[in-house]
C-alpha cells in the first residue's frame, strides 16, 4: 500500500464510500474478519516534514475507531481467538484483531488505557533489539538526517552525489527517493550500512530512537502481565527477512521468540514479518514461520480474512490504520473489504 499514491488511495476510498459501493460489495468481499495494523498512537506533532506520519494515528482518532468497531457489533478478539475461529470455522460473528507493531512506548502509555477501558484485547509484536536498545530505527534516522540538513552527500552506486534538501518540498522528495532506493538494496546489511554512515556523518544518534520511543523490558512486562495483551514476535533486528540467507532468516524468527520468553516468561505463538510487504516476506518466510510452530504470522499486505485463510495461517493480510487517512469512513470502507478487494484484483487469497 505504501507504493500507491496517497491521492489515488484517498480518491478510491472516498468514491467507494460516497457511492455506497462498499455496502454493495460487502457480502462478496467482506470476509469473516480483519486484522488491523497500528504503529504509534500519539498526538500529532507540528512540522510539515513528517514522512513517517503514516505510522501514527492520534489518540482521538484511535478512540473513535475502537468505539465505532464496538458500535458496529464486530467482536474485538485476541490472536488466539482469531486462530480458533479460523481453524474451527466459527464465523457466526465478524471479528477484528488489533495489532501494534514494534513495541513503542505510546502503545503502553496511550493505546493501552484506551483498550483497557473498552476491555478489548490486542497484540504487540516486539522486535527484541528495541527493548535491548540495540535496534536501528533506520527510517527515523534517515528522516532526521534530511530534516536537520540543507544538503547531504551520499555515495550511490559508487558515485558521490549531493542532494539539496533545504525546503520542505525538497526534503519530502529526497526522503521518498532515498527511502525507496534503500528499500531496493538487495541485501539488508548494505542498506543498514548506508544509513549508519549517513547518521554518523551528520551527527544523528541512531541508538537514541530506540531509547526515546520503544518500551524497555520492564514496560513490556507491564503489558505482558495483562491477559488482554498478547505479546508476539517481530524478529530480533527488524530486517527485511526475504533479503537474508536461509539460516539468518530462520534464526531472526526463532531467536526473537526465545529472547521474549526469557525476558517476559511468555512464549510468543504469533509472528509479524517486519515491513511485511512482498519484498520482505515471501513463500520461504511463510514456510519457516509454520515450521517453527507459530500459530499465525501476519504481513502488511492489505486484505480482510476469509475462511480459506485457515490454510494460510502464516501469511495473513492486515489492514493498516494509516496516519495519512484518519477518517472513520476510510476505516469502514477498508473493513468492508471492498478497497482491498479492488487492490487485490478481487482475489481472496494471494496467488503463491
Ligand atoms: Zn515493524
Amino acid at each position: 500500500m505504501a507504493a500507491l499514491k496517497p491521492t489515488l488511495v484517498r480518491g478510491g476510498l472516498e468514491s467507494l464510500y460516497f457511492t455506497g459501493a462498499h455496502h454493495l460489495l460487502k457480502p462478496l468481499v467482506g470476509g469473516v474478519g480483519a486484522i488491523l495494523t497500528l504503529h504509534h498512537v500519539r498526538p500529532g506533532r507540528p512540522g510539515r516534514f513528517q514522512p513517517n506520519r503514516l505510522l501514527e494515528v492520534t489518540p482521538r482518532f484511535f478512540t473513535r475507531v475502537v468505539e465505532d468497531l464496538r458500535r458496529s457489533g464486530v467482536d474485538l478478539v485476541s490472536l488466539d481467538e482469531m486462530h480458533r475461529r479460523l481453524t474451527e470455522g466459527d464465523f457466526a460473528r465478524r471479528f477484528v484483531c488489533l495489532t501494534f507493531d514494534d513495541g513503542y512506548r505510546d502503545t503502553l502509555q496511550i493505546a493501552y488505557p484506551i483498550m483497557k477501558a473498552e476491555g478489548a484485547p490486542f497484540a504487540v509484536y516486539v522486535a527484541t533489539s528495541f527493548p535491548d536498545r540495540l535496534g536501528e530505527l533506520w527510517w527515523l534516522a534517515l528522516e532526521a538526517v534530511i530534516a536537520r540538513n540543507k544538503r547531504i552527500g551520499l555515495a550511490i552506486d559508487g558515485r558521490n552525489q549531493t542532494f539539496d534538501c533545504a525546503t520542505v518540498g525538497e526534503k519530502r522528495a529526497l526522503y521518498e527517493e532515498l527511502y525507496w532506493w534503500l528499500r531496493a538494496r538487495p541485501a539488508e546489511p548494505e542498506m543498514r550500512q548506508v544509513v549508519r554512515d549517513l547518521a554518523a556523518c551528520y551527527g544523528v544518534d541512531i541508538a537514541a530512537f530506540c531509547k526515546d520511543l520503544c518500551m524497555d523490558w520492564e514496560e513490556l512486562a507491564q503489558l505482558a502481565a495483562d491477559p488482554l495483551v498478547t505479546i508476539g514476535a517481530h524478529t530480533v533486528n527488524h530486517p527485511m527477512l526475504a533479503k537474508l540467507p536461509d539460516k539468518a532468516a530462520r534464526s531472526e524468527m526463532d531467536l526473537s521468540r526465545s529472547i521474549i520468553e526469557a525476558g517476559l516468561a511468555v512464549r510468543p505463538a504469533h509472528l509479524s514479518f517486519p515491513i511485511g510487504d512482498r519484498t520482505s516476506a515471501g513463500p520461504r518466510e511463510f514456510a519457516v514461520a509454520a515450521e517453527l510452530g507459530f500459530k499465525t504470522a501476519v504481513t502488511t499486505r492489505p486484505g480482510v480474512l476469509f475462511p480459506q485463510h485457515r490454510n494460510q495461517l502464516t501469511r495473513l493480510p492486515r489492514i493498516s490504520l494509516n496516519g495519512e487517512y484518519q477518517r472513520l469512513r476510510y476505516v469502514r470502507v477498508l473493513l468492508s473489504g471492498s478497497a482491498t478487494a479492488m487492490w487485490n484484483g478481487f482475489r481472496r487469497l494471494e496467488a503463491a
Side-chain angles (χ1 to χ4, degrees), residues 39 101-102 104 125 127 130 139 234 238 272-275:
H39 289 84
D101 280 14
D102 299 342
Y104 295 111
Y125 293 110
F130 296 177
W139 55 98
H234 195 40
H238 204 273
S272 161
F273 299 111
I275 316 278

Side-chain angles (χ1 to χ4, degrees), residues 14 32 44 46 74 101 175 185 199 206 218 232 249 275 282 292 330 345 351:
E14 291 283 5
V32 294
V74 299
D101 280 14
Y175 184 88
R185 295 306 85 212
I206 294 197
E218 256 172 53
I275 316 278
L292 290 173
Y330 296 160

Side-chain angles (χ1 to χ4, degrees), residues 18 36 65 68 77 97 103 141 151 174 222-223 272 341:
F18 287 110
L36 289 180
V65 169
D68 196 54
V77 303
C97 285
R151 169 178 286 199
L174 182 58
Q222 292 177 43
L223 283 183
S272 161

